[in-house]
Amino acid sequence: ARMQGAGLAVAGYFLVGLDGDDESTFERLYEFVRLTGINVPIMNVLLPAPATPVYEQLRREGRLLFEDEDELLANNALYNSSCRRCFYRPKQMTSRQVEEGYLRLGRRLTTLRETLRRSAHRDPVIALALLGMNLDFRHKIATQSAADRQEQALPSPPESG
């Protein structure tokens, strides 16, 4: 709050689905974003990109839910866009619980009221930039939610365990 009082805008980047996360993580994260006055929340589900330590750990533990890198590349060829899919078995939730929690949190953070509240700033140029970033986040969550609804209408294979 002191940074915002000094005229700064604050972005926060959050990964969900980490081993310490459980279903309460999403509510705690929502409250954290609100209480700290973060202007632009950015969030993703952890993506275990091949050749990274987290990928190797999940592979060793048998927790990956894909056979080869092509399955990841089909969803994000450059690993450069947000990930709403959970491609591994988290320790304290199912992969589906992570995906649902991510989208539920995203929808809560992108209501029109939340979007406008986070975009408010005393400098109109900064306010406009914040509004653009928050509207982009809102669009991303809406698009991901729609894709999720479509996917859930299709039968899916059960998680192996």
Side-chain angles (χ1 to χ4, degrees):
R2 288 192 347 214
M3 287 191 287
Q4 289 93 335
L8 298 173
V10 178
Y13 187 85
F14 305 97
L15 285 175
V16 296
L18 304 174
D19 283 345
D21 290 351
D22 60 27
E23 288 193 74
S24 70
T25 297
F26 305 103
E27 178 63 28
R28 289 192 325 267
L29 186 51
Y30 175 77
E31 291 301 324
F32 179 80
V33 169
R34 287 199 46 104
L35 290 172
T36 58
I38 289 173
N39 300 99
V40 180
I42 303 162
M43 48 181 227
N44 287 302
V45 173
L46 175 68
L47 178 68
T52 63
V54 73
Y55 173 89
E56 292 303 324
Q57 176 186 342
L58 293 170
R59 185 186 56 73
R60 277 192 315 276
E61 295 172 359
R63 294 168 51 201
L64 294 174
L65 297 176
F66 58 91
E67 296 297 320
D68 61 46
E69 185 176 340
D70 290 342
E71 291 181 58
L72 286 176
L73 292 175
N75 291 285
N76 189 356
L78 300 175
Y79 301 119
N80 67 346
S81 63
S82 64
C83 186
R84 68 172 170 87
R85 299 290 308 276
C86 187
F87 293 100
Y88 57 95
R89 279 187 295 283
K91 286 192 173 178
Q92 299 187 59
M93 290 182 277
T94 66
S95 60
R96 184 66 192 149
Q97 286 172 313
V98 171
E99 293 168 358
E100 289 173 347
Y102 164 84
L103 289 172
R104 191 173 51 250
L105 173 60
R107 286 189 297 268
R108 288 183 74 192
L109 289 171
T110 59
T111 64
L112 185 57
R113 179 182 298 255
E114 286 294 308
T115 298
L116 294 175
R117 181 189 62 76
R118 283 196 317 275
S119 301
H121 195 279
R122 66 183 182 214
D123 181 327
V125 174
I126 294 174
L128 188 58
L130 292 172
L131 181 60
M133 288 183 272
N134 280 307
L135 288 174
D136 183 61
F137 179 46
R138 182 178 162 101
H139 175 73
K140 175 184 86 167
I141 293 297
T143 301
Q144 291 176 339
S145 292
D148 186 69
R149 283 190 300 275
Q150 288 179 343
E151 288 173 11
Q152 292 311 303
L154 304 172
S156 61
E159 284 188 23
S160 58

